[in-house]
Amino acid sequence: MPDVQSGQRVNTKSFQLRNLHVDPSIGVVTGPSGSARLEPRVLEVLEALARRPGELVTRAELLAEIWPGSDVYDEALTQCVYQLRQQLVGAGGDDCRDLITTVPKRGYLLNGEVHAVAPPPDGVASLPAARGRRHWLAGALGV
């Protein structure tokens, strides 16, 4: 999978950010310290930042993208970023404290490279479970 440098855009299906794995399809971020389920708006903020790593994403851009056509106050975005920081640190530890930088009165920067992660090929996830069932069946028949 290609690495994404500053200024490049990335499709945020599943991605790696430092020591974190983010799976937007289920809204979970997983790291060495555990997992955290992100609320939908919090996840949308992370995805918006991940599409533009190392680039300033303005508050106006985030508000327009995440709450299009509605009168949302800056406080809603501030609260989402606060929750996101807490959950990233909770899943990734102290290494994740500086992942999001606030640029006062302007917006936010995501500090880190985003690496796209491909889903496992079809059938790969079910192989161990199927193999385990076969061993159990063979053991049961042998008794």
Side-chain angles (χ1 to χ4, degrees):
M1 285 292 124
D3 293 348
V4 179
Q5 303 296 324
S6 178
Q8 292 180 312
R9 303 202 186 251
V10 66
N11 181 347
T12 57
K13 296 240 186 239
S14 282
F15 58 94
Q16 196 77 26
L17 177 62
R18 289 196 188 164
N19 59 0
L20 300 170
H21 177 265
V22 180
D23 187 346
S25 67
I26 58 173
V28 172
V29 59
T30 305
S33 298
S35 294
R37 183 165 301 282
L38 303 178
E39 292 181 21
R41 298 285 187 201
V42 174
L43 177 61
E44 288 181 54
V45 170
L46 178 57
E47 288 181 293
L49 295 172
R51 281 190 290 275
R52 296 168 54 185
E55 184 180 327
L56 175 69
V57 182
T58 68
R59 294 181 70 81
E61 290 171 324
L62 288 167
L63 289 169
E65 182 176 338
I66 297 166
W67 291 276
S70 63
D71 294 326
V72 175
Y73 297 102
D74 278 351
E75 184 58 35
L77 177 59
T78 301
Q79 187 62 33
C80 280
V81 171
Y82 173 79
Q83 288 178 16
L84 178 58
R85 284 182 171 131
Q86 296 297 313
Q87 291 168 322
L88 293 176
V89 170
D94 286 338
D95 290 345
C96 296
R97 287 205 183 278
D98 66 342
L99 267 175
I100 300 172
T101 298
T102 300
V103 179
K105 307 286 186 196
R106 298 203 48 217
Y108 301 94
L109 286 164
L110 183 67
N111 300 309
E113 294 179 3
V114 175
H115 307 277
V117 177
D122 288 341
V124 169
S126 63
L127 285 178
R131 195 173 293 131
R133 281 191 300 265
R134 271 187 253 137
H135 288 301
W136 177 84
L137 181 60
L141 290 175
V143 173

